[in-house]
Amino acid sequence: MRTPTDLMADIGEVLLDEDRIQARIRELGAQISADYAGRRITLVSVLKGSLPFMADLMRSITLPLRIDLMEVSSYGGATTESSGLVRILKDLSTSIEGEEVLICEDIIDTGLTLNYLIRYLKGKRPTSLRICTLLDKPARRLVEIPVDYTGFTIPDQFVVGYGLDYDELYRNLRFVGVLKPEVYAAPE
Ligand code: 5GP
């Protein structure tokens, strides 16, 4: 695996800077707090990419809330493509039966991963199940996903940062950016 010496040098374009991301998350938090007023919610985050988003979103919500974490991976396929066959690497650690569940996703691309997760989580009989995604890339959608809260709609580009990785790196960048094409083409 190629290890970059300067993460910033690999970024061709900053799509969403830190201020824009944080401002939008404050708006989402205010809206979610108003929509669920008087109730308690359970945020379910999908590791690892959604970690920074959930950490910031939960602190923008003023309601009583619980959090839980899942980790999933797609079977087979290239590293930037979703196959739709999802394997659960880490399941919920609490019951969501009778709970108001809000899934916190980093990005929806084809929608195949979330389509699977929605069916899986509905089987656990929550009172309600809604979806909040930081990023939406509708251009490549293969299945319709009822998204309740969207941070930003972005073009069909592979992005990294603010939790999102390429080869497990770049997650710690405070912004969302597009990698330079030569990073993909770099020899092993
Ligand atoms: P989907 O099943 O909707 O096609 O894929 C969702 C998952 O694919 C996301 O949770 C994320 O892990 C990965 N993914 C999709 N698009 C991007 C992207 O532009 N950048 C990164 N880093 N991951 C992506």
Side-chain angles (χ1 to χ4, degrees):
M1 183 198 290
R2 169 186 176 272
T3 302
T5 47
D6 177 2
L7 293 180
M8 284 304 297
D10 286 351
I11 304 298
E13 182 197 352
V14 175
L15 216 53
L16 302 165
D17 67 21
E18 184 177 4
D19 288 349
R20 252 187 103 186
I21 294 172
Q22 294 303 328
R24 183 69 185 121
I25 290 175
R26 280 194 295 275
E27 288 176 359
L28 289 173
Q31 169 147 27
I32 290 165
S33 303
D35 291 352
Y36 288 91
R39 294 180 274 169
R40 82 166 195 195
I41 61 175
T42 301
L43 295 183
V44 171
S45 174
V46 189
L47 294 170
K48 305 167 190 166
S50 307
L51 208 53
F53 179 43
M54 177 152 96
D56 287 336
L57 183 66
M58 66 188 267
R59 288 176 291 176
S60 297
I61 297 174
T62 52
L63 308 168
L65 65 79
R66 312 185 317 150
I67 62 167
D68 210 332
L69 301 163
M70 289 192 70
E71 184 170 5
V72 299
S73 83
S74 297
Y75 282 115
T79 51
T80 59
E81 300 291 328
S82 180
S83 66
L85 293 168
V86 176
R87 186 160 52 115
I88 293 177
L89 301 177
K90 188 212 166 297
D91 206 342
L92 297 175
S93 60
T94 55
S95 167
I96 56 166
E97 186 170 348
E99 298 290 336
E100 313 254 15
V101 173
L102 182 60
I103 301 176
C104 253
E105 255 292 21
D106 48 1
I107 186 164
I108 307 176
D109 187 18
T110 63
L112 293 172
T113 307
L114 209 45
N115 189 48
Y116 172 90
L117 265 182
I118 290 167
R119 276 186 286 130
Y120 179 77
L121 292 175
K122 273 189 179 160
K124 296 186 177 284
R125 292 180 295 178
T127 300
S128 68
L129 185 65
R130 288 191 186 175
I131 294 156
C132 178
T133 187
L134 178 68
L135 306 175
D136 188 5
K137 258 197 319 198
R140 294 186 1 125
R141 194 75 93 253
L142 293 178
V143 283
E144 203 183 319
I145 300 285
V147 186
D148 300 283
Y149 304 96
T150 302
F152 302 94
T153 300
I154 62 167
D156 184 12
Q157 285 174 306
F158 188 77
V159 292
V160 296
Y162 197 68
L164 291 157
D165 76 306
Y166 174 66
D167 245 0
E168 292 296 330
L169 299 176
Y170 306 96
R171 295 191 197 275
N172 51 326
L173 296 175
R174 291 178 174 273
F175 58 84
V176 171
V178 182
L179 278 186
K180 288 180 179 166
E182 53 263 38
V183 177
Y184 296 91
E188 292 289 301

